[in-house]
Amino acid sequence: MFDAKPRARKLGWAVVGCGWVARDYVIPALQGARNARLVALCDANAEALMRIPADDVSRYTELGSVLADKDVQAVYIATPNHLHAAMTEACAAAGKHVLCEKPMAVTPRDGLRMVSACQRAGVHYATAFDQRHHAAHRKLRTLVKEGVLGTVTQARIHYACWLPADWTPDNWRIDPEQAGGGAMIDLAPHGLDLLEVLLGDEWESLTAMTQRRVHRYAVDDGAVLMGQFKSGTLGLLQVAYNCPDAYPRRTLELIGTRARALACKTMGQTPGGSLSLIDAKTGEETWVPLSPEEDKSPFLNQVEAFSACVLEGRPQPYAPERDVRLVGLLTQATQDGKAYPSCH
């Protein structure tokens, strides 16, 4: 029998830079998305590229080949940070939509280059802030918006890991030229973005302190950022490469006048974790349930959300100029903040 129901449209994606996040999370998300399809992979390491399990995709070692591929409509950029700006400009010039890993750029000037290039070409741009797409964080945003927490007075995030110099053979995250910094530039952007999304607010000021305390490399292995939002809410971020993975190191806490929200093990690449509320009057703790349908990979949610905007002709929910502002805040905090010398 003839099925008159039209097939769902799917956006054709290429992944450029096939490191562990792309390999373990983004590529599976593209393969499982309802409105996206993986059509190409690109990485300078040809051997590593061939080891990635993906059927019926083109494999390239140069960006130019990706941009010449007519099946590629959107590009996920997951290369070292210093390459983001030039690659985004090249993708935009070729008419490809761009989802770029955080930080979008090492400097706000580079971020503005990226935004201008995409606007001139009429293509979509978004920074890959996957944390805002975690089911628990989506639920928490709704609770804040509905006033369940009351007036939020403070917000705190601890997001850390253990990252020794020999973590990978080519650990570009600790190379100041390729990464533009260390733990702060790598991990803090997630928290800066997420708290603005959860609170529906904007950072007004930001101060940073960094350390080189444990690991023998040329970038910071830990940082604390403190700031205030336009509403008056205070924010605190603790990020680190020097926190043993066995410790509790992925927590998000919002203190409100009606309730305190605590999310544990939600910051990161995987779904799951927990979200609880403590009532300000009774002290009673209740757990906020997430259905299996809600609790999907944050990368899957991110890919589907970006693809939907492109396919339906809707703008991305957050203007890219906002991401440039966050880069500027982080850059200024780094320049103004106190950097403690290495203890080695």
Side-chain angles (χ1 to χ4, degrees):
M1 182 177 178
F2 176 71
D3 185 4
K5 185 178 180 179
R7 296 178 62 184
R9 293 173 60 203
K10 292 191 174 186
L11 192 69
W13 283 81
V15 172
V16 177
C18 297
W20 69 277
V21 171
R23 181 193 66 224
D24 295 347
Y25 300 105
V26 177
I27 290 173
L30 288 168
Q31 292 169 325
R34 294 169 296 180
N35 58 0
R37 62 190 182 100
L38 179 66
V39 300
L41 299 172
C42 179
D43 196 280
N45 187 331
E47 289 187 16
L49 188 63
M50 295 308 298
R51 289 196 297 267
I52 295 175
D55 298 328
D56 301 322
V57 299
S58 301
R59 299 172 193 257
Y60 304 112
T61 56
E62 295 183 357
L63 179 63
S65 300
V66 173
L67 302 184
D69 190 329
K70 294 182 180 179
D71 290 332
V72 174
Q73 298 166 285
V75 177
Y76 165 73
I77 297 176
T79 57
N81 301 339
H82 73 301
L83 300 175
H84 289 179
M87 285 191 166
T88 296
E89 288 178 318
C91 289
K96 313 295 186 184
H97 307 287
V98 176
L99 177 64
C100 182
E101 261 301 337
K102 56 78 212 162
M104 71 179 299
V106 175
T107 67
R109 177 178 294 181
D110 282 349
L112 286 172
R113 284 172 49 196
M114 297 161 69
V115 172
S116 297
C118 291
Q119 289 177 340
R120 287 195 305 269
V123 299
H124 286 243
Y125 172 86
T127 304
F129 289 124
D130 54 273
Q131 295 302 302
R132 67 166 74 134
H133 296 281
H134 192 288
H137 300 158
R138 285 180 168 182
K139 181 77 75 174
L140 183 53
R141 181 188 181 197
T142 299
L143 295 174
V144 171
K145 192 173 182 179
E146 291 176 347
V148 172
L149 274 64
T151 300
V152 178
T153 58
Q154 295 194 25
R156 298 196 286 262
I157 285 179
H158 181 212
Y159 187 36
C161 63
W162 182 260
L163 192 80
D166 60 355
W167 182 63
T168 61
D170 179 23
N171 192 1
W172 62 263
R173 284 177 172 80
I174 62 170
D175 182 335
E177 295 301 320
Q178 295 186 78
M184 185 162 70
I185 197 171
D186 186 31
L187 301 176
H190 276 308
L192 292 176
D193 169 76
L194 181 59
L195 289 182
E196 284 203 351
V197 170
L198 294 177
L199 299 175
D201 207 344
E202 288 186 8
W203 291 95
E204 188 170 60
S205 62
L206 194 66
T207 300
M209 291 184 289
T210 60
Q211 64 181 175
R212 292 171 57 204
R213 180 71 173 161
V214 175
H215 299 303
R216 296 179 179 274
Y217 39 65
V219 295
D220 58 283
D221 64 1
V224 174
L225 296 92
M226 301 163 287
Q228 190 164 36
F229 291 84
K230 289 186 175 180
S231 66
T233 300
L234 298 177
L236 175 67
L237 304 179
Q238 295 172 275
V239 297
Y241 282 167
N242 56 28
C243 179
D245 289 338
Y247 294 164
R249 57 190 174 82
R250 294 190 290 145
T251 57
L252 162 63
E253 185 178 24
L254 300 184
I255 307 295
T257 55
R258 293 182 180 175
R260 183 207 75 164
L262 179 65
C264 295
K265 296 183 179 180
T266 57
M267 299 288 295
Q269 290 77 32
T270 56
S274 64
L275 175 61
S276 66
L277 298 174
I278 292 183
D279 185 89
K281 291 184 178 179
T282 67
E284 180 182 357
E285 184 173 19
T286 58
W287 300 92
V288 180
L290 298 173
S291 69
E293 176 59 27
E294 291 175 308
D295 198 18
K296 298 185 295 185
S297 161
F299 293 91
L300 176 62
N301 290 336
Q302 176 176 248
V303 164
E304 290 186 340
F306 183 96
S307 298
C309 288
V310 174
L311 293 172
E312 297 169 16
R314 294 184 285 108
Q316 298 294 324
Y318 294 92
E321 290 86 356
R322 170 189 175 278
D323 301 345
V324 178
R325 174 176 56 80
L326 291 179
V327 172
L329 270 174
L330 191 59
T331 300
Q332 192 63 48
T334 304
Q335 293 173 350
D336 295 345
K338 184 173 179 59
Y340 288 90
S342 172
C343 292
H344 304 305

